Amino acid sequence: MNWWHPERFEQKRGNMETRAKLVKAVRSFFDEQGFYEVETPILQVMPGAEPHLHAFKTELLNPHRDRRQTRYLHTSPEFAMKKLLVAGWPKIYQICHTFRNAEGSPQHNPEFTMIEWYRAHADYRAIMDDCVGLLRAVAMACNITQYRYKNMTADPFANWEILSVCEAFDKYAGFDLEPLLDNESALRTQIKNLDIHTAPDDTWDDLFMRVMGDIIEPHLGQGTPTIIYDYPVSLAALSRPVPSDPRFAERFELYVCGMELGNAFGELTDPQIQRKRFEEDMALKEKLYGERWPLDEDFLASLEHGMPESGGIALGIDRLVMLATGVENIKDISWCN
């Protein structure tokens, strides 16, 4: 059945009514805390930093220049929003369409809706508190007592599970990650009996993500939402190192019913370190996929000017609606799929 057919919309009516209530509740939550809602350009010079993401590319026809200008649909509004933090905006949020090419699954659309929010003069612990308050506010607005996905539930009003990455590896994978940091051979030896697929050319980061995806993530967010924090620094391109242990970075992810819902950082503000990480990530992207994105020099210049200590997060609105309605396919809560 075509997406625009009246029967198709009727089948989705309840889900879409919940979606409308949910988005309204999200806006109310941040508006009541004095956040400014912002709108930043979707077309960007550098659409993101993650080497494994793929962007949609276009060419701008500029009659005042001799050549075309390449732009990308953003994979996140992060760089543009951080420029606003440098300009002095203290608390900002944005609900926007975001674009990631080559993505498609029951939990992924190449075009989806995201909320990002940032607090200047705050850290990632403040963002954790926001997540607790937001998911509780949304549940009340949607008149639900728990989030649902497949056979799992999560009660946002119960005490949340908050684990460091090392604690999660110990609890769910059965070994201590800390002595294995940056030691690919030792990590490979440790996980050889975990019944997960590995490849000879897997890097340390690849092995880490295989354990996370196959062994740990399915346990997260069951019964109550889970926050897992302090990732190895190699896996946090835009977050700052933990001051007490720079082997780790101030990054956390939010899971509900085994589904990753949000990715947060204590934001990196050092322009030299940020440039170095960008260059390393784009070199890896070129090695793996044969392309690299130009660096956002305006963003790096803004860091030179001085960005305050900040915390921020990207959270998937579509996935939050899935959890509020209990549906198993993202297309069932999208307006035009």
Side-chain angles (χ1 to χ4, degrees), residues 3-14:
W3 67 264
W4 48 264
H5 196 281
E7 282 187 38
R8 175 71 169 154
F9 279 114
E10 192 60 34
Q11 291 170 0
K12 295 169 41 170
R13 180 178 296 277

Side-chain angles (χ1 to χ4, degrees), residues 103-116:
E103 292 203 355
S105 79
Q107 295 183 18
H108 297 84
N109 258 345
E111 178 181 0
F112 61 98
T113 304
M114 173 188 290
I115 178 170
E116 286 206 19

Side-chain angles (χ1 to χ4, degrees), residues 187-198:
L187 180 58
R188 184 181 297 275
T189 298
Q190 181 65 61
I191 68 177
K192 66 181 179 180
N193 295 321
L194 290 180
D195 194 29
I196 59 177
H197 170 75
T198 62

Side-chain angles (χ1 to χ4, degrees), residues 70-233:
T70 299
R71 293 292 183 271
Y72 300 87
L73 298 181
H74 65 193
T75 62
S76 161
E78 182 167 2
F79 300 158
M81 292 184 73
K82 287 181 177 178
K83 294 170 190 175
L84 296 179
L85 294 176
V86 174
W89 293 83
K91 296 189 294 186
I92 55 176
Y93 77 95
Q94 179 168 190
I95 299 173
C96 64
H97 282 234
T98 310
F99 307 86
R100 296 179 182 179
N101 206 347
E103 292 203 355
S105 79
Q107 295 183 18
H108 297 84
N109 258 345
E111 178 181 0
F112 61 98
T113 304
M114 173 188 290
I115 178 170
E116 286 206 19
W117 73 88
Y118 293 88
R119 287 181 175 270
H121 310 293
D123 62 14
Y124 68 152
R125 299 282 178 175
I127 305 300
M128 292 183 191
D129 293 339
D130 286 339
C131 289
V132 175
L134 177 63
L135 264 63
R136 290 175 175 173
V138 164
M140 288 187 288
C142 296
N143 196 29
I144 59 175
T145 58
Q146 58 188 8
Y147 292 101
R148 298 172 289 128
Y149 182 67
K150 294 185 176 179
N151 61 343
M152 294 170 280
T153 61
D155 179 358
F157 301 100
N159 291 329
W160 287 31
E161 179 183 47
I162 300 180
L163 297 171
S164 71
V165 167
C166 287
E167 289 170 340
F169 268 73
D170 182 58
K171 181 175 181 178
Y172 296 117
F175 65 89
D176 186 358
L177 179 67
E178 191 168 347
L180 310 178
L181 293 172
D182 296 326
N183 190 329
E184 180 267 318
S185 177
L187 180 58
R188 184 181 297 275
T189 298
Q190 181 65 61
I191 68 177
K192 66 181 179 180
N193 295 321
L194 290 180
D195 194 29
I196 59 177
H197 170 75
T198 62
D201 60 348
D202 278 343
T203 65
W204 191 95
D205 290 357
D206 294 330
L207 296 171
F208 173 94
M209 294 307 298
R210 291 186 191 280
V211 178
M212 278 293 299
D214 292 359
I215 305 297
I216 297 175
E217 287 184 352
H219 296 283
L220 303 179
Q222 294 205 42
T224 187
T226 296
I227 286 174
I228 182 168
Y229 68 95
D230 286 4
Y231 279 70
V233 73

Side-chain angles (χ1 to χ4, degrees), residues 297-332:
E297 294 293 344
D298 284 344
F299 171 61
L300 292 168
S302 74
L303 295 185
E304 292 278 1
H305 185 80
M307 190 174 101
E309 175 186 349
S310 305
I313 187 170
L315 187 147
I317 291 289
D318 302 279
R319 290 187 178 184
L320 187 55
V321 179
M322 289 176 66
L323 292 161
T325 57
V327 304
E328 297 183 12
N329 194 308
I330 196 170
K331 295 185 182 300
D332 291 330

